[in-house]
Amino acid sequence: MLTLLSPDVIAIWILDAILFLFALLALAVAGQIVARWDVRATTPLQYALEKRAYLAATIVDYIFILKLPLFLYFIYTLDQLSTILPGAMCAAGVTNATVYGMPLFAVKILNLYLFGLWIVLNRIDRAKPDYPYTKAKFWFYIFIFPFFALELGLELLHFGHINPHAIVSCCGTLFSAAKTSAVSTFIQLPAPVILTVFYGTFALILLSWRRRRTGLFALLNLLFVPVAIVSLIALFSTYVYELPHHHCPFCLLQKDYHYVGYLMYATLFAGTFFAPAAWMARRLGYPAAEKWLRWSLAGDTLYLFLVSYYPIAFYLKNGVWL
C-alpha cells in the first residue's frame, strides 16, 4: 500500500479523475447531439445544442492537451517508483509489477491516437460553415469514451495492486532472449530479418507517399508502430546502450542515455499519427492534408535516422557489429 501514498501516483489519480468527470459531461452532451442534432432547424433546442456542442468540443480538446504532458508525467512516475520497488531498475519493472501494467501502457498510447484523431475531425468540422461532421465526431467520441474509462480502470488496478515488498523483474530479465515470451522470440530473430522488415516497411511508406496513396500510407504507418518498437527492442536499443544483451525500451528515457528515448518516441508517434490524420483530412476535403502528409513523412524519417545513427556510429568507432 506504500505505492498508493506516492505523491506522484496520487497526483495522476486526481488529474485523471478530474479529466474523467469532464469527459462524462462531454459524453452526456454527445448523447444529446447524436439524438437530436439538426443543423437545418432554427429551434431554441438546436440553438442550445450548438452551444453545448461547442462546450463539449472544447472540453475534449483540453482533455487531449492535458493528457499529452500527463502521459510524460506517468512515465516519469514509473521511473520514480522503480527506486522503491525491489528488483526494478527502470519503468519496465514497475510496468510489469502487475498484470495490468502493460495493457495500461498500450491503452494510454492508443487513447492519445484516438483523442488526437477526434481533434482533427473537430477542426475539420469547425472549418465548415454548416458543421457537417458534428454528429459524426460525437459518435466517434462515444466510441472512444470506453477506452478512456478503461484507461482509468487499469490505472487504478495497476497502482492499487503493486506490492512494494514483492520483488519484480528488472528490464534485463523481462527483455532477455533466454526468457520464454513473445519479446524473446523477436529478440532472437536474425538481425538481417529485423532490418529487412524495418527498412522494408519504411520503403513502402515512402513509395506510398510518392504515389499519393493516402489510405495505404496511413495503413503502413499504423503498421510501422509495432515494427519500429519491436526492432528498437530487438536490435537498435543495444547500440544505444552499447551492450548486446540490453534491450530495454524504457531505459532510453533515462538521463544516462541523454533522454534520447523521448525524441525517438516523439518522432515515431508524431509521424505515425499525422498519416491517418492526413488520410481523414483528404477524405473530408480539408486543405491541411498535404501538410500533414509531409509532417508524417518527416517524423518517420527522423525516427529512422535517429535509430540508424547508433549502429552506424558504433561500427565506425569499433569496426564490428554487436
Side-chain angles (χ1 to χ4, degrees):
M1 296 295 289
L2 287 176
T3 303
L4 298 179
L5 299 179
S6 163
D8 295 319
V9 173
I10 293 172
I12 289 175
W13 275 350
I14 291 174
L15 290 172
D16 269 337
I18 292 172
L19 294 182
F20 188 73
L21 288 176
F22 279 103
L24 275 176
L25 176 63
L27 181 67
V29 174
Q32 295 173 346
I33 298 293
V34 299
R36 312 185 72 172
W37 179 268
D38 183 0
V39 73
R40 294 167 301 182
T42 56
T43 61
L45 174 62
Q46 177 60 24
Y47 180 65
L49 287 177
E50 289 178 7
K51 290 195 293 184
R52 292 172 194 168
Y54 189 86
L55 172 64
T58 303
I59 288 174
V60 181
D61 274 357
Y62 275 94
I63 288 175
F64 176 76
I65 291 171
L66 292 173
K67 280 187 73 63
L68 271 176
L70 192 56
F71 177 68
L72 298 177
Y73 186 59
F74 170 76
I75 297 173
Y76 166 81
T77 300
L78 294 182
D79 255 337
Q80 292 299 306
L81 291 178
S82 68
T83 62
I84 63 173
L85 289 185
M89 300 295 290
C90 65
V94 183
T95 305
N96 282 276
T98 75
V99 295
Y100 310 106
M102 278 301 178
L104 171 61
F105 212 89
V107 171
K108 276 186 174 292
I109 294 173
L110 174 65
N111 282 345
L112 289 179
Y113 278 83
L114 292 176
F115 273 90
L117 289 175
W118 191 92
I119 288 178
V120 169
L121 183 56
N122 182 46
R123 178 182 290 191
I124 295 171
D125 182 51
R126 286 186 176 180
K128 306 278 185 179
D130 53 348
Y131 303 109
Y133 309 116
T134 297
K135 267 193 174 182
K137 73 182 182 186
F138 281 105
W139 271 119
F140 186 35
Y141 179 71
I142 292 172
F143 168 75
I144 67 178
F145 179 81
F147 292 97
F148 188 29
L150 177 63
E151 176 187 332
L152 189 62
L154 287 171
E155 198 169 82
L156 290 170
L157 288 170
H158 179 59
F159 287 125
H161 283 78
I162 290 178
N163 181 353
H165 304 296
I167 297 176
V168 300
S169 299
C170 73
C171 55
T173 304
L174 292 169
F175 301 102
S176 167
K179 188 178 176 66
T180 304
S181 66
V183 175
S184 65
T185 302
F186 289 116
I187 290 174
Q188 295 179 66
L189 287 173
V193 174
I194 297 171
L195 293 173
T196 300
V197 173
F198 177 73
Y199 289 106
T201 305
F202 180 80
L204 291 175
I205 287 173
L206 189 60
L207 185 62
S208 62
W209 176 77
R210 285 184 61 85
R211 296 190 175 183
R212 292 294 187 267
R213 300 287 298 276
T214 315
L216 181 61
F217 182 75
L219 188 63
L220 288 168
N221 264 277
L222 294 178
L223 176 64
F224 192 56
V225 178
V227 168
I229 292 176
V230 168
S231 60
L232 180 66
I233 295 173
L235 181 69
F236 293 112
S237 62
T238 61
Y239 286 94
V240 179
Y241 305 128
E242 298 189 347
L243 291 171
H245 304 298
H246 195 180
H247 297 273
C248 182
F250 292 96
C251 288
L252 296 169
L253 303 168
Q254 294 185 337
K255 181 181 178 182
D256 294 344
Y257 304 101
H258 310 291
Y259 306 107
V260 69
Y262 287 100
L263 183 57
M264 286 181 175
Y265 294 129
T267 53
L268 174 64
F269 292 134
T272 53
F273 168 75
F274 279 110
W279 171 78
M280 180 188 293
R282 176 171 280 189
R283 295 274 297 179
L284 301 180
Y286 192 60
E290 291 301 319
K291 178 174 66 178
W292 290 345
L293 280 172
R294 292 194 295 272
W295 287 2
S296 173
L297 189 64
D300 294 343
T301 305
L302 184 55
Y303 176 79
L304 181 137
F305 277 115
L306 271 172
V307 297
S308 301
Y309 163 77
Y310 287 94
I312 293 172
F314 183 87
Y315 182 80
L316 293 177
K317 179 180 176 183
N318 300 286
V320 294
W321 302 104
L322 287 175

